[in-house]
Amino acid sequence: MARKNQHPKAAARGRKAADGKPRAGREVVAKAKPAAKAPPKRAPAPAPPPAPKVKFRGRVLENEPLARYTTYRIGGPARYLVLPADADDVIKALDLAQGRGLPWFVLGLGSNLLVKDTGFPGVVIRCGKGLDRFEMKGATAIVGAGLPTPLLARRTAEAGFAGVERFIGVPGTVGGGVYMNAGCHGAEFAEVVTEVTVMDAKGKVKQLPRKQISYKYRSSNLGTVIVLEAKLALIEEPPAKLKELQGKLLRWRKAGTPFDQPCCGSVFRNPGGPRTAGALIDEAGLKGFTIGGAQVSSLHANYIVNTGTATANDVLKLIEHVRKTVAKKMGVELELEVKVVG
Ligand SMILES: Cc1cc2nc3c(=O)[nH]c(=O)nc-3n(C[C@H](O)[C@H](O)[C@H](O)COP(=O)(O)OP(=O)(O)OC[C@H]3O[C@@H](n4cnc5c(N)ncnc54)[C@H](O)[C@@H]3O)c2cc1C
């Protein structure tokens, strides 16, 4: 979704401080660009009126390290990070980007992202609190993009509805899940979504019925939009049964994946043949292979974990090494599932 007109100077301003640590972000009230100065004339020109302030109900942070907002705990600063309190703030964020000629990007819980060390030289719009509505109308869940998916799974199960209970261990937002068609254990968002409310790049909001959305494995045709809300069709099921299943699935995840280490879930897409990406990487002998602070997990080979000091560069180098080794030893070209930003 990031636009290509990125501003190199903005990126340079946001780099790390001399001590190597990311600079703390600064909270700002975004101002419209001041008008260019008129050339001096004989009589001094009157002072230009102060730049009008754009007031957000939520927060706007400048040069904010994105490592704080990704499950990898990796990522350089965003020129602006907007934490919208409502949909109007999202429009203002788009205006801010447009007014300054900056690219923009939507962030959920950053659980499927690798943000480069140089950060993102534009406006990052993070859908979270404020956009996290949860309402049940009969068997339909109406949910905001900012609602964490595990919370969606838990609340619907407690209310006695099935359909998203298996997403209990997917650590993203509903917006990211609906956009990317997240799924696991034989279920995916595509099966339950009936309508998605989106905002386009001009701030126009529209409702898309399911039949206008085409979903594939971990992708959709939603394009350059911000998902604001979704309606999900669920079916009644006893809460105790759903809770028991969720307990089992969480235990499975904790035992079989590096659930407690900073990571982004599966790095590569399953190639569609008889063997998963994880099995191919394992058979290529790469479990535990390390570059800098990035390591192929010894629990699950399709996870690359941050052992504490990894930079995005370490992860990118390791991704390249894994890709080349699997192609050479196993004859399969792996494709990235994680999205690289910046
Ligand atoms: C430990 C772990 C386990 C995981 N297990 C699974 C799994 O089993 N199945 C699975 O599918 N995934 C899994 N993931 C990956 C990830 O959790 C999902 O892809 C999740 O749906 C991403 O949501 P997010 O809010 O974190 O999106 P982000 O990572 O923030 O963004 C991902 C993409 O979605 C876009 N996006 C996010 N929010 C919006 C929005 N509101 N509107 C428009 N676009 C948006 C972003 O621009 C970006 O392109 C796992 C990740 C981790 C760390």
Side-chain angles (χ1 to χ4, degrees):
M1 175 163 303
R3 291 204 197 134
K4 296 288 176 208
N5 59 334
Q6 298 187 357
H7 201 297
K9 279 190 184 163
R13 274 198 298 276
R15 289 208 181 102
K16 285 180 179 177
D19 59 5
K21 290 182 186 153
R23 285 188 192 126
R26 192 160 64 86
E27 189 149 6
V28 293
V29 177
K31 289 178 189 163
K33 227 179 185 179
K37 271 188 189 167
K41 289 184 187 161
R42 266 181 220 152
K53 285 181 179 174
V54 181
K55 282 204 176 140
F56 285 80
R57 277 196 59 234
R59 298 172 74 197
V60 182
L61 303 167
E62 201 176 355
N63 293 327
E64 176 72 358
L66 290 173
R68 295 176 185 164
Y69 304 87
T70 64
T71 53
Y72 245 140
R73 300 283 168 254
I74 290 175
R79 179 76 183 87
Y80 294 103
L81 174 70
V82 177
L83 307 171
D86 52 28
D88 276 352
D89 272 357
V90 180
I91 298 179
K92 287 172 200 160
L94 291 172
D95 285 348
L96 174 67
Q98 201 190 11
R100 291 173 186 234
L102 295 172
W104 57 271
F105 176 78
V106 196
L107 177 69
L109 279 168
S111 63
N112 202 47
L113 294 181
L114 176 62
V115 179
K116 288 189 179 170
D117 300 316
T118 44
F120 183 71
V123 178
V124 174
I125 304 167
R126 188 189 191 230
C127 291
K129 273 206 160 86
L131 294 169
D132 58 351
R133 173 181 180 191
F134 175 79
E135 198 183 323
M136 289 300 306
K137 276 196 178 163
T140 300
I142 305 169
V143 281
L147 185 76
T149 302
L151 215 52
L152 167 74
R154 193 164 347 116
R155 285 193 183 167
T156 51
E158 281 166 2
F161 291 98
V164 291
E165 72 282 3
R166 281 172 280 180
F167 303 162
I168 188 78
V170 178
T173 58
V174 166
V178 166
Y179 189 80
M180 298 254 328
N181 190 21
C184 52
H185 313 295
E188 54 184 16
F189 268 94
E191 293 162 5
V192 288
V193 166
T194 57
E195 185 184 281
V196 179
T197 304
V198 297
M199 184 182 286
D200 70 15
K202 291 182 178 152
K204 197 172 161 219
V205 174
K206 55 187 168 187
Q207 274 81 34
L208 302 176
R210 173 66 178 82
K211 61 175 188 284
Q212 278 183 28
I213 307 168
S214 140
Y215 276 120
K216 288 190 194 146
Y217 174 72
R218 304 295 170 260
S219 66
S220 72
N221 66 343
L222 286 166
T224 309
V225 296
I226 298 150
V227 173
L228 295 178
E229 228 169 70
K231 283 188 183 162
L232 313 174
L234 308 177
I235 43 170
E236 281 190 52
E237 192 95 49
K241 190 177 160 196
L242 296 171
K243 200 175 165 196
E244 194 193 330
L245 174 66
Q246 291 183 328
K248 260 191 213 160
L249 295 176
L250 280 178
R251 283 193 293 280
W252 176 87
R253 277 190 183 254
K254 282 181 183 160
T257 63
F259 205 63
D260 298 326
Q261 274 180 294
C263 67
C264 69
S266 298
V267 173
F268 298 99
R269 290 163 170 265
N270 285 326
R275 276 172 299 182
T276 61
L280 289 163
I281 300 166
D282 191 359
E283 283 173 44
L286 289 166
K287 265 190 176 171
F289 193 90
T290 304
I291 294 183
Q295 185 175 64
V296 177
S297 167
S298 44
L299 266 181
H300 191 307
N302 199 16
Y303 283 58
I304 290 179
V305 296
N306 172 3
T307 58
T309 55
T311 60
N313 229 8
D314 292 341
V315 179
L316 287 169
K317 279 188 199 155
L318 187 52
I319 285 174
E320 221 21 62
H321 179 78
V322 169
R323 218 187 329 225
K324 279 188 182 152
T325 310
V326 169
K328 197 170 154 196
K329 289 193 177 173
M330 314 300 294
V332 178
E333 296 284 340
L334 291 176
E335 268 178 53
L336 271 191
E337 181 165 316
V338 60
K339 295 199 180 303
V340 180
V341 173

